[in-house]
Amino acid sequence: MIPIFISGPAVEPITLEEMKAYLRVDDDDGTQDELITGLVKAARLMVEAASRRILIEQHWRVVLDRWPAGGTILLPLSPLIAVDGIKVTDASGTASDVPASAFDTDTLSEPPRIAVADIPEPGKPRNGISIELRAGYGAAPDAVPATLKLAIRILVAHWFENRGDVVGEQILPPEALALVAPFQRARI
């Protein structure tokens, strides 16, 4: 099973103005804006990697070679917002949509899962099944849990204050790691 990033997020969990206020940066000329914006994005990616959860809505494609035994697909991305479609590719390379009535999506289980029934096997030997989905807590920053947003703020502040000092550092400062730990999802 291979997850492939397609697009998103449209916004970051922390706005530039919120982060500048947290850092107590009050430059009116915006000289630090590009740096802070980049640090927020990098911190979101680090928090997503540490928690193995998507924070803001993103579009992904998951590809499989074959349907799993028992017909239940355990998805590697969480939290799941929706499955937008499933396609099966035949031997000639033609992709066909799987009707929504042929699969059931469980967005609440951990990991999220899709149960399929009576769906044809792909004719393509590799990556013959393609699942389009949206994952994340939601499309707006308000949907992201406050503790994960605080972990981002702590990480950005740590990087901002310690630019160039990276010898022997942990991936996340202990304070940020403690905030992320309750959200960490097990590997499937």
Side-chain angles (χ1 to χ4, degrees), residues 17 20 35 39 41 47 53-54 62 68 79 93 101 103 127-128 133 148 155 157 164 178 184:
E17 293 74 25
K20 284 175 79 170
L35 170 65
L39 290 175
K41 181 177 183 175
V47 168
R53 294 187 184 275
I54 306 298
V62 175
S101 60
F103 63 90
N127 304 322
L133 60 88
L148 293 177
L155 187 52
Q184 287 180 326

Side-chain angles (χ1 to χ4, degrees), residues 40-181:
V40 168
K41 181 177 183 175
R44 174 189 47 86
L45 291 168
M46 291 290 289
V47 168
E48 286 178 340
S51 65
R52 290 185 287 285
R53 294 187 184 275
I54 306 298
L55 301 186
I56 294 284
E57 182 177 322
Q58 299 173 25
H59 295 264
W60 289 78
R61 177 179 301 127
V62 175
V63 294
L64 305 154
D65 295 337
R66 295 276 172 260
W67 299 111
T72 299
I73 303 163
L74 302 178
L75 295 170
L77 301 164
S78 181
L80 179 65
I81 295 172
V83 172
D84 295 325
I86 301 176
K87 292 181 185 274
V88 177
T89 305
D90 65 18
S92 68
T94 304
S96 301
D97 290 325
V98 172
S101 60
F103 63 90
D104 181 46
T105 305
D106 181 358
T107 61
L108 299 177
S109 64
E110 188 58 46
R113 59 189 79 216
I114 302 169
V116 295
D118 301 324
I119 298 178
E121 284 294 327
K124 191 176 169 187
R126 287 183 190 40
N127 304 322
I129 301 164
S130 176
I131 303 167
E132 301 287 329
L133 60 88
R134 287 175 285 132
Y137 284 102
D142 306 10
V144 178
T147 51
L148 293 177
K149 289 170 68 169
L150 181 56
I152 290 171
R153 285 185 181 100
I154 290 169
L155 187 52
V156 170
H158 177 76
W159 287 340
F160 189 80
E161 293 167 6
N162 298 289
R163 285 176 270 183
D165 302 333
V166 293
V167 178
E169 260 188 51
Q170 287 183 298
I171 292 174
L172 292 177
E175 303 84 11
L177 191 57
L179 293 168
V180 171

